[in-house]
Amino acid sequence: MAFRPLNWLFGLFSLDIGIDLGTANTLVNVRGKGIVINEPSWVVLDKKTRRPEKIGLQAKEMVGRTPATHIAIRPLRDGVISEYDVTKDLIGYFLSKAHQQTLVPLPRPRVVIGIPSGATEVEKNAVYDASKESGARETYLIEEPMAAALGAGMPVTEVVGSMVVDIGGGTSEVAIISMSGVVVSRSLRVAGDELDQDIITYIRNKYNLLIGERMAEQVKMTVGSSYPLPSEKTMRVRGRNLVTGLPEELEISSVEVREAVSSSVQVIIDTIKDALDEAPPEIVADLMENGICLAGGGALLLGLKERLTDELNLRVWVAEDPLTCVARGAGMVLDDLERYSKLLVDIDN
C-alpha cells in the first residue's frame, strides 16, 4: 500500500511511446509530440568487442565504408530480430533519444511496438524482452497491419470490413480487419529489401555492373515503378564493372527498373488476391465501397496504386504519410488503452 502513491506519480510523469521497429527504419511516436525520431535501423559494431559504435542515421552513413575493424549490420531482418543483443542496444538508444527530447523527469516509458503478423512466439518474446531490458516500464505488442490501419484512420473497431496492405522494408503485411479483429491476414517476406535486391541483380546481369544496396534503394525511390508512367524517368547509377574491375557509370530508365521488380510486385499482388479470395462476401461488399489502403514505404512506389486498382478491380488509396502509419497507430493505442486493448498481441510471459 505504501508504494501506490509513488507508482501513481511514476506513471503520471513517464513517457508513452509507440515504436515502429522496422527492418529498414525505426520510427518513434511520443504521446503529445508526434513522430520525434525517424532513423535507419542500422548499427555499426566493433568486430572484436561487438559493442555498438554508431546507431541510426550515423550508422547508415557508414554502410559500405567501414574499416576492417568494424561491421555495419541491421539487427532486424524480415521484420524480426536476428541479433538480439544489438536490437536491445538499438531500442535502448531510441528510447534514450526520445527521453532527451522531452521534459519528462523519469525515463522508464510505456511502449507499444509493432510486429509482423506472421511473427512466431519466439520472435514476439524476443521483441518483448528486448524492450523490457532496454528500460521500458510496460511493453505491449501490436500487429503491424492493425497499427497501420489504425494510424491511417480506418474504422478498425466498427462492424465494417477494412483492408490494409503494409509494405515495409522486410515484410509485406496484408490484413482484412473488422470489429477489432483480423478476419484474414497474410505476411510475406517480400518487400522493399527484395525490390532492392532485384535491382542489384538486374543491373549486374544486364550491364555487368555491381552496385551497392544504398544505390539500389536510391534507384527504387527515384525511378522505380510498377505501372507505366505518363513520362518515363532516368537516372545515373555508379558501381564497379565486373569485367574490368573499374568504376563505371551508366543511365537506367524507369522501364528497366519496372522490369527488374516485376516478379516481386506480382508476388505481393497474388498474396492480396489470395486474401480477398478468403474474405466473406459481406466484407468484400464493404471493401468495394471503402477500398484498400496502402501503407508503409512500399506504398510510395510509383504506379503501385494504379497497378493494384487494375489487377484487383477495387479502389486502392494511399494513406496520408504512409511511412508513419504504424508508429502513429501504436501511439494511438496508448492514448486510449482500454478502448484498443483488444488490438494487442497476447504474450506468454
Side-chain angles (χ1 to χ4, degrees):
M1 293 293 290
F3 291 100
R4 281 188 178 176
L6 181 61
N7 286 341
W8 176 84
L9 186 65
F10 192 84
L12 182 65
F13 287 104
S14 65
L15 292 173
D16 283 346
I17 295 177
I19 299 179
D20 177 7
L21 192 63
T23 303
N25 294 284
T26 296
L27 289 86
V28 178
N29 179 15
V30 175
R31 185 179 182 184
K33 287 186 171 290
I35 306 295
V36 298
I37 296 171
N38 181 359
E39 292 194 30
S41 303
W42 281 94
V43 180
V44 172
L45 301 174
D46 183 298
K47 281 187 177 179
K48 286 186 178 180
T49 63
R50 297 289 292 177
R51 293 184 62 181
E53 297 285 335
K54 299 291 182 182
I55 296 176
L57 192 58
Q58 291 181 324
K60 186 171 183 179
E61 291 296 324
M62 298 174 67
V63 174
R65 302 187 177 104
T66 55
T69 55
H70 290 72
I71 183 172
I73 67 167
R74 286 194 298 184
L76 296 109
R77 282 289 172 184
D78 300 326
V80 295
I81 292 176
S82 60
E83 296 273 354
Y84 178 81
D85 290 333
V86 182
T87 302
K88 186 171 64 176
D89 292 328
L90 183 75
I91 295 174
Y93 166 80
F94 287 125
L95 292 182
S96 175
K97 192 168 183 178
H99 172 61
Q100 291 169 10
Q101 297 183 30
T102 68
L103 298 177
V104 177
L106 300 173
R108 289 175 61 81
R110 294 194 307 169
V111 176
V112 172
I113 301 179
I115 60 169
S117 58
T120 65
E121 289 301 320
V122 172
E123 291 165 343
K124 293 174 187 176
N125 282 307
V127 174
Y128 180 89
D129 293 341
S131 173
K132 296 291 282 187
E133 290 188 35
S134 299
R137 176 168 57 94
E138 297 176 24
T139 297
Y140 305 97
L141 303 182
I142 184 171
E143 291 184 348
E144 287 172 354
M146 184 68 80
L150 191 60
M154 303 180 79
V156 296
T157 61
E158 297 178 15
V159 188
V160 62
S162 302
M163 186 171 187
V164 63
V165 179
D166 177 24
I167 306 174
T171 59
S172 293
E173 309 279 340
V174 179
I176 298 174
I177 300 164
S178 179
M179 297 174 59
S180 300
V182 175
V183 180
V184 180
S185 71
R186 292 286 188 278
S187 178
L188 69 157
R189 298 186 176 186
V190 176
D193 288 350
E194 194 73 19
L195 300 184
D196 294 344
Q197 289 301 318
D198 289 341
I199 293 169
I200 291 171
T201 302
Y202 180 89
I203 294 176
R204 184 182 64 223
N205 292 343
K206 185 171 183 178
Y207 295 107
N208 285 318
L209 187 73
L210 182 62
I211 64 171
E213 290 182 9
R214 292 186 64 189
M215 178 60 72
E217 183 180 29
Q218 190 176 345
V219 169
K220 177 184 68 180
M221 294 170 65
T222 306
V223 299
S225 71
S226 59
Y227 197 78
L229 303 177
S231 177
E232 300 293 351
K233 302 181 177 184
T234 62
M235 75 169 286
R236 308 292 295 182
V237 297
R238 297 170 181 172
R240 175 167 54 85
N241 188 297
L242 293 172
V243 176
T244 66
L246 299 175
E248 186 178 310
E249 182 181 71
L250 60 85
E251 188 172 75
I252 188 168
S253 71
S254 53
V255 176
E256 292 175 291
V257 178
R258 187 157 61 246
E259 181 185 344
V261 303
S262 62
S263 60
S264 292
V265 170
Q266 191 61 51
V267 169
I268 296 172
I269 292 171
D270 291 342
T271 302
I272 298 171
K273 288 180 177 178
D274 287 345
L276 285 170
D277 189 48
E278 280 192 31
E282 291 297 334
I283 285 184
V284 172
D286 291 337
L287 297 181
M288 292 180 72
E289 182 176 344
N290 301 326
I292 298 173
C293 174
L294 288 180
L300 300 175
L301 182 68
L302 297 175
L304 183 60
K305 178 179 70 172
E306 291 78 9
R307 172 83 179 273
L308 288 172
T309 299
D310 271 6
E311 293 257 1
L312 304 175
N313 199 29
L314 286 170
R315 180 175 68 92
V316 178
W317 52 282
V318 178
E320 182 181 352
D321 197 5
L323 281 167
T324 66
C325 281
V326 173
R328 285 188 282 122
M332 288 172 65
V333 171
L334 287 173
D335 287 341
D336 194 345
L337 193 57
E338 184 176 348
R339 178 185 178 188
Y340 296 123
S341 61
K342 291 182 180 179
L343 309 184
L344 299 174
V345 176
D346 291 329
I347 295 294
D348 298 329
N349 269 294

